[in-house]
């Protein structure tokens, strides 16, 4: 039988107790059983499709579920900008409010500047900042319309 009320957790809410577990223990729990896990044939490395994982690799360093500070960048639904998602440490024990998102539909220079400013202000790792900038620029570059170049004067063959 489960004792719901205790001195340590007066409410007895099991959801609140998970936030107090260390990230290492959380990683050991979700390492092989995450629903975002993606495995490819003949590739020993496992990939992750979680929204706050910039590298897309299933590792402790890039995992957005267990790390306190995590950033995610995805294209908008109409493919005219990006959605910048980040975790707020203020709502660490409230998973519903934990992830904040900002839609950026400005030009690419202003968008990248805003992302870099947020990352430096939040004291993120330099490697994570570089990954965020690279991911955002890839998405913005893919959303640009392709310019079709006209071929210059093709030679006409003489019909006999």
């Amino acid at each position: 039988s489960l004792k719901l009320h205790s001195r340590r957790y007066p409410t007895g809410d099991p959801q609140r107790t998970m936030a107090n577990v260390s990230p290492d223990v959380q990683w050991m729990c979700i390492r092989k059983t995450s629903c975002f896990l993606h495995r490819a044939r003949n590739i020993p490395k496992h990939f992750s499709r979680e929204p706050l994982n910039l590298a897309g690799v299933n590792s402790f360093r890039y995992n957005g579920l267990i790390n306190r500070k995590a950033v995610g960048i995805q294209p908008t639904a109409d493919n005219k900008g990006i959605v910048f998602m980040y975790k707020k440490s203020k709502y660490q024990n409230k998973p519903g409010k934990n992830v904040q998102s900002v839609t950026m539909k400005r030009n690419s220079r202003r968008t990248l500047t805003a992302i870099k400013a947020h990352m430096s202000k939040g004291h993120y790792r330099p490697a994570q900042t570089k990954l965020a900038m690279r991911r955002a620029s890839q998405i913005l570059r893919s959303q640009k319309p392709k310019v079709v170049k006209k071929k210059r004067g093709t030679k006409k063959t003489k019909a006999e």
Side-chain angles (χ1 to χ4, degrees):
S1 71
L2 246 165
K3 186 178 178 184
L4 291 178
H5 299 286
S6 66
R7 285 185 203 162
R8 196 165 186 191
Y9 306 111
T11 59
D13 187 11
Q15 290 294 331
R16 290 185 67 179
T17 60
M18 191 59 187
N20 296 329
V21 176
S22 72
D24 295 319
V25 174
Q26 289 179 6
W27 172 246
M28 293 306 289
C29 292
I30 67 166
R31 178 168 70 105
K32 293 182 180 179
T33 58
S34 174
C35 66
F36 297 108
L37 203 59
H38 178 71
R39 295 174 180 167
R41 259 187 228 171
N42 299 326
I43 299 177
K45 193 181 285 189
H46 301 306
F47 301 104
S48 177
R49 290 182 175 165
E50 60 188 89
L52 295 178
N53 189 334
L54 288 172
V57 179
N58 187 37
S59 70
F60 180 80
R61 169 173 237 156
Y62 299 116
N63 195 303
L65 297 173
I66 59 175
N67 288 323
R68 280 184 44 204
K69 292 198 292 187
V71 173
I73 298 172
Q74 292 182 342
T76 56
D78 60 351
N79 278 335
K80 292 185 179 179
I82 62 169
V83 178
F84 181 68
M85 298 173 293
Y86 58 96
K87 275 188 169 181
K88 273 199 123 166
S89 58
K90 180 179 177 181
Y91 300 115
Q92 190 174 358
N93 292 334
K94 299 178 182 177
K97 293 183 179 181
N98 196 1
V99 178
Q100 306 290 316
S101 63
V102 178
T103 303
M104 299 182 182
K105 291 191 174 187
R106 298 181 279 186
N107 60 12
S108 59
R109 184 173 293 178
R110 281 188 173 189
T111 301
L112 293 174
T113 306
I115 291 171
K116 191 168 190 175
H118 182 274
M119 299 290 280
S120 64
K121 185 180 173 186
H123 304 291
Y124 287 88
R125 294 191 322 266
Q128 198 169 13
T129 304
K130 197 179 274 189
L131 267 174
M133 297 292 287
R134 185 178 293 166
R135 175 96 173 161
S137 63
Q138 282 176 347
I139 292 171
L140 290 170
R141 200 177 317 124
S142 72
Q143 292 173 350
K144 276 187 177 179
K146 290 189 178 182
V147 179
V148 179
K149 292 184 179 180
K150 294 182 180 178
K151 291 184 180 179
R152 291 180 64 185
T154 56
K155 293 183 179 180
K156 296 179 182 178
T157 56
K158 291 184 180 180
E160 293 181 33

